[in-house]
Amino acid sequence: MNDSNSLHWSFDYNYGAQNPQFAQELIGTLRGYDPEAGTRSTQTGQTLTHVYNVLPNYWRGYNRGGNAETLSIGTAVIERSKRDNLWYYSVEYENTTSGENLRMQFCCSDENYRPLRDNWSVDARNSADDEYAQWACAGYFTSDSEVRLRINGAEIVAGTVDVSVELTCNWALFDVIPMLARTIQAADDGIDIAVLEDLEQLRLKGRLGFLESTLTPIRLEGYYLYGAGLLPSYWWLDAHGDIAIASTFFETLVLREKMGDRV
Amino acid sequence: MNKRPNILFINTDQHAWDAISAYGNPYLRTPNIDELHRNGTSFHRSFCTDPVCAAARSSWATGLYTSETGVPFNGGYLHPEIPDLGQLLNAGGYKAFHCGKWHVPGRNVRESFRTLYYGQQDIGAGGAAYYDSASTHAVADFLTNYDSDEPFYLQIGFVDPHDVCEYLHNHEEKHIPNPLEQGIVSEDDLPPLPENFDYDERETVLHRVCRRVDDALIHAAILKGIRDWDEFHWRYLRWNYYRFIEKVDAEIGRVLALLRETSRHHNTLIIFSADHGEACGSHQMFQKFTLYEESVRVPFIVACLGEEIPVEKDRFNETHFVSGVDLFPTVCDYAGIDVPEEVQGLSIRPLAEGRDAPWRDYAYIESNYWGRAIVTDQYKYVTEYKPTFNSNSGVEDFYPPGPDVEQLGLAQLFDRQNDPGEMENLVGNPTYNEVVKICKNKLFAQEARLHRQQIVHPSPRRVISNWGGRLRTYWQMEDSH
């Protein structure tokens, strides 16, 4: 592990009030992650889990006067298991700055693009001291390719997806990018992909491409995602085929723990 | 309209007037704000009261200009005796709710409104990526559960596209390759540089000291970080800015869809606006804090998705000057609540209904405590007060300046009809001496109607002292030249 603080610009938020804590926590989290300790012989039906430490990219996560012990503002846990040629995902995302915790459940076909399948759900809980306490949403496709969301008995259309479009969930990209890595690298301009962000927001014109490689803090291959309504995000794949760092516009997810393995 | 309407005030943050696809901008897609425009009236001549978050928002909350509210910059404090909109609406039989960004320092939003969502860490300057989606969830929960007979007022403060500030902060201490070097986007993907990328260097001292010089009073670190930007960096700033707007447009879309689905849309008035704009490369400037058009001109739409509230639809009002002070009396008008005498704003309701009304013939804007602007049909006049001490005591008295011809500093005059990009400062050209005089008279007449109050809170006093000291130093240099 390279301890240099010269992180790649796409996930270097080690400045201002975050210097040197951001680099220390990013490198420390990766150092604590030991892929060899995980179970490496997962059978069908077993669960593959990645746990990410969520670091804020800006201004100490707006944690004004808050906990200075750690920069971390939360955790993301991605669990998935395969049954009957479908991948069942359960994602928990906790954010101590917003106070909102999300639990998302969805399933995808067992294909490299991880196409999203009926049905999915989002359960949100707010720990802040306000009237909004919780919220639930269930989503499905209609026969007309509409994406519909049911919210407390009301139903809205999130958009329409042409049958030719490869639609997945942004949380499945933690598998899609490793599986499509060579395809993406071979494509000069990247590949098209549509994303249902957090299972709510349809981003139809996304593009996944290869960025470059880096050796700091470990050997990583970088990929980007951008498109209409999508700020560029950067995804860094390690030598074990896991997304070790995912830096979206506002936060950087750093792999802390892995259990199980891909089939 | 048989009963008092529900009122939904949706606001975005740092949203320049022209960053809406329905207004002809081809570089982004805002289908949901476009829908508001189709269902309402867009005010072409809409200006914030002060191009910075807290100041502009203090005007929304009170109907006063920022030299009256005690919040002439982000570090101000609202004078405690001034009533806010939430207090008036609650007293007038409405249930007043707040969700998202508030940013009116000195006033606890939770005491004036019922808060649907305000963040685990109270929402401050930015953080849309954390807060906006949660705000939409809170509003969805509210709209699908509200069962009171009383009408509601709900203000939703979305943070985006303010996160473009974080995009800029990201450049403070590291070099980020331009997007073509990154290989992420092609040149064809990028919007062009704005036509007014250049600027006339004859700016006010206040403007230069706040935003141009190496040790600028506001965000000097960003300024330093972007000094070596090439054309593509600037164009990529614009590209990113538009993505932030598309994100917040999608949030607005879910709110509107749920409003329709719950059938509340027939009797819900929707007002959409932004606290201030974004320079986005115009005049080689970023963010706000200046009195140029991109920084001070904001969207203002009055709409109804149903038919019960008479609002002229799919229409631009290109005649009337609308200001951030007008939100307060407009909401009160629709709610049937008397407006306090001191309020400076006017109700836009008759204009939204297509009726005529006695109206102002200019917009008045303040900036950075000492900056002032008057916008008329043909001209924009920008000036500044020098940071002088009280003539009797010889010390800073912390009264916002004006109207005082002796205290005026430099000025800029732009011909809005022939120079919409504000590229040539006409001050000093004898042909325009009379225009300057007329604008100055309008400025002083407006300022004579203000109830300026002494700033008493120590925190904004420190800002005024610090900024005033720096400005005096620059004025000494200016005078010696």
Side-chain angles (χ1 to χ4, degrees), chain B residues 65-351:
Chain B
Y65 287 105
T66 61
S67 56
E68 301 176 294
T69 63
V71 193
F73 38 71
N74 269 349
Y77 268 70
L78 189 69
H79 294 305
E81 72 282 4
I82 298 176
D84 65 57
L85 191 54
Q87 293 167 344
L88 250 72
L89 288 164
N90 284 321
Y94 266 71
K95 287 191 171 178
F97 295 90
H98 172 85
C99 183
K101 180 165 177 172
W102 166 244
H103 205 181
V104 182
R107 186 63 49 92
N108 183 347
V109 67
R110 290 189 167 100
E111 291 177 1
S112 296
F113 295 85
R114 301 165 194 226
T115 53
L116 301 182
Y117 174 73
Y118 191 45
Q120 181 76 14
Q121 307 286 330
D122 290 356
I123 300 172
Y130 296 155
Y131 298 123
D132 281 357
S133 173
S135 289
T136 302
H137 293 165
V139 171
D141 180 54
F142 169 80
L143 289 174
T144 52
N145 284 302
Y146 189 76
D147 61 357
S148 171
D149 290 334
E150 291 176 73
F152 67 76
Y153 168 84
L154 168 59
Q155 54 185 28
I156 312 169
F158 286 117
V159 178
D160 259 338
H162 186 287
D163 276 359
V164 72
C165 288
E166 312 310 337
Y167 176 85
L168 288 156
H169 286 303
N170 196 14
H171 291 75
E172 287 180 2
E173 295 185 29
K174 66 184 180 190
H175 174 73
I176 300 176
N178 82 40
L180 303 188
E181 290 165 351
Q182 292 175 26
I184 292 182
V185 296
S186 71
E187 187 172 352
D188 291 343
D189 293 327
L190 299 173
L193 284 177
E195 289 181 10
N196 58 352
F197 183 67
D198 292 325
Y199 63 99
D200 188 327
E201 293 181 0
R202 293 171 295 171
E203 296 176 311
T204 61
V205 168
L206 180 68
H207 183 94
R208 283 179 273 150
V209 174
C210 284
R211 303 298 282 150
R212 293 277 187 212
V213 298
D214 286 342
D215 57 347
L217 289 171
I218 303 170
H219 292 315
I222 296 176
L223 189 60
K224 184 181 171 200
I226 68 169
R227 283 276 192 225
D228 64 347
W229 268 15
D230 60 25
E231 174 189 336
F232 299 111
H233 278 106
W234 283 106
R235 291 170 63 185
Y236 197 41
L237 166 67
R238 294 171 72 78
W239 185 92
N240 276 274
Y241 178 61
Y242 292 146
R243 304 293 82 74
F244 286 115
I245 291 175
E246 288 173 342
K247 280 176 75 71
V248 75
D249 180 79
E251 300 293 345
I252 292 167
R254 280 190 293 171
V255 171
L256 299 184
L258 278 161
L259 189 69
R260 278 190 196 280
E261 187 62 23
T262 55
S263 301
R264 297 192 187 284
H265 60 293
H266 292 297
N267 192 38
T268 298
L269 179 84
I270 304 172
I271 300 174
F272 170 74
S273 192
D275 53 357
H276 53 77
E278 159 64 46
C280 219
S282 57
H283 308 293
Q284 292 170 49
M285 190 44 64
F286 54 91
Q287 298 177 297
K288 53 276 186 180
F289 307 106
T290 80
L291 290 162
Y292 286 119
E293 194 81 342
E294 294 79 6
S295 186
V296 296
R297 193 171 170 209
V298 292
F300 201 110
I301 303 174
V302 180
C304 177
L305 301 183
E307 300 300 330
E308 288 184 22
I309 302 173
V311 171
E312 288 216 317
K313 301 201 172 189
D314 201 9
R315 172 174 166 259
F316 283 106
N317 178 315
E318 298 175 337
T319 309
H320 297 89
F321 285 97
V322 167
S323 163
V325 289
D326 298 331
L327 174 79
F328 186 107
T330 301
V331 170
C332 288
D333 190 357
Y334 278 100
I337 293 171
D338 290 338
V339 176
E341 259 180 41
E342 298 77 19
V343 163
Q344 298 282 343
L346 301 167
S347 171
I348 292 166
R349 182 176 181 175
L351 310 181

Side-chain angles (χ1 to χ4, degrees), chain A residues 6 25 39 59 64 115 129 190 246 257 261:
Chain A
S6 55
E25 291 199 24
T39 306
W59 296 89
R64 297 173 302 282
D129 185 22
E257 194 176 352
D261 204 351

